[in-house]
Amino acid sequence: MTTLTVATVLDQLKALSHEIRFELVRHLAGGERCVCDLEALLGLPQSKVSYHLGILREAELVCSEQRGKNTYYTLQQDQLFQLGGTLLSEIFTGPLALTHQNKSIC
């Protein structure tokens, strides 16, 4: 039995908010990379790189493909582009008030 998860905007923002994961995304923006390449670029052990890639995969921001002994990762660019639009849609739920606020606390 498999469970289908859909990453929310907050899940994706949390995944991107860690500096290692943000750097992974920046490196993957240049194209597909093997875990061993990412280890060398970040100067981190394989276990740490794989851990952070797993979080990005759960947030549906990267996908992986096993080829022989190596795992290759690519960005889910459509998810990143949608994240910006969805974030703005969730913040701005109605029309913007362009007038003075009548019910201010101060």
Side-chain angles (χ1 to χ4, degrees):
M1 178 173 164
T2 60
T3 304
L4 179 62
T5 61
V6 177
T8 67
V9 170
L10 287 177
D11 293 333
Q12 292 177 329
L13 290 174
K14 286 177 192 175
L16 287 171
S17 70
H18 192 281
E19 66 183 64
I20 292 174
R21 293 190 288 271
F22 187 77
E23 284 301 311
L24 285 167
V25 167
R26 286 177 47 134
H27 287 298
L28 290 171
E32 177 183 79
R33 301 270 187 175
C34 177
V35 173
C36 58
D37 294 332
L38 294 166
E39 290 173 51
L41 287 166
L42 296 174
L44 296 171
Q46 181 271 327
S47 59
K48 186 170 269 198
V49 171
S50 292
Y51 169 78
H52 288 288
L53 287 167
I55 291 171
L56 291 170
R57 194 173 52 241
E58 285 178 20
E60 300 174 0
L61 296 173
V62 300
C63 61
S64 63
E65 181 182 333
Q66 188 76 32
R67 292 187 213 143
K69 295 187 288 183
N70 297 323
T71 303
Y72 291 83
Y73 285 83
T74 55
L75 279 184
Q76 296 283 70
Q77 289 183 356
D78 57 330
Q79 288 291 338
L80 287 166
F81 290 127
Q82 289 175 15
L83 175 59
T86 303
L87 174 63
L88 291 173
S89 295
E90 289 193 19
I91 291 173
F92 299 106
T93 57
L96 293 176
L98 300 176
T99 60
H100 179 70
Q101 181 181 350
N102 293 327
K103 297 183 180 182
S104 177
I105 294 175
C106 54

